[in-house]
Amino acid sequence: MTGVTRWTGHEAGLLRKAMRKTGKAFAELVGVNQCQIPRWEGRGETLELSVANQEALDTVLARADPDVQQRFAALLTERAAAEHEERAEELLRRDPRTSRHPVDGKLMTLVEEGIYLSGPDNRSV
């Protein structure tokens, strides 16, 4: 999976959620103080992270298991579909597994066969 072109607090939060990490565990993985994570997520897209933090998040994403990368892509896709959000769509266009639906033009991501965890409770469907 390619990296995110510009990380904000929102994408960092989605990656933490995809990794299913607590704020403390995620902060240790990224190499920042654990107090930073709630600030990042709270400021969302209004926060542009430093180059060092962006590189750290790119590294964490690149080293993540494929299932984590797929969950991250799915979270971005869900947001793009729900809000028709151009920024999320732009991030996903860089993933070679995405394509546009021929009828409505929405961005689609291939979801491999198997158990799919969905919703806030991550129930299998």
Side-chain angles (χ1 to χ4, degrees), residues 49-63:
L49 299 172
S50 71
V51 174
N53 288 336
Q54 292 199 34
E55 289 174 356
L57 288 165
D58 277 338
T59 301
V60 168
L61 178 59
R63 291 181 180 170

Side-chain angles (χ1 to χ4, degrees), residues 6-28:
R6 182 180 66 91
W7 287 90
T8 67
H10 178 73
E11 288 82 28
L14 291 180
L15 180 57
R16 182 184 66 78
K17 185 176 179 181
M19 297 186 89
R20 299 180 177 146
K21 299 275 186 191
T22 64
K24 181 179 180 180
F26 187 69
E28 289 174 7

Side-chain angles (χ1 to χ4, degrees), residues 17-80:
K17 185 176 179 181
M19 297 186 89
R20 299 180 177 146
K21 299 275 186 191
T22 64
K24 181 179 180 180
F26 187 69
E28 289 174 7
L29 195 59
V30 177
V32 297
N33 185 300
Q34 70 183 32
C35 297
Q36 292 295 96
I37 303 304
R39 283 189 207 132
W40 289 0
E41 293 178 11
R43 291 196 43 206
E45 290 182 15
T46 64
L47 173 70
E48 185 170 342
L49 299 172
S50 71
V51 174
N53 288 336
Q54 292 199 34
E55 289 174 356
L57 288 165
D58 277 338
T59 301
V60 168
L61 178 59
R63 291 181 180 170
D65 293 333
D67 60 322
V68 170
Q69 293 178 354
Q70 286 182 342
R71 279 195 301 269
F72 180 68
L75 290 168
L76 282 174
T77 303
E78 288 172 10
R79 179 160 189 247

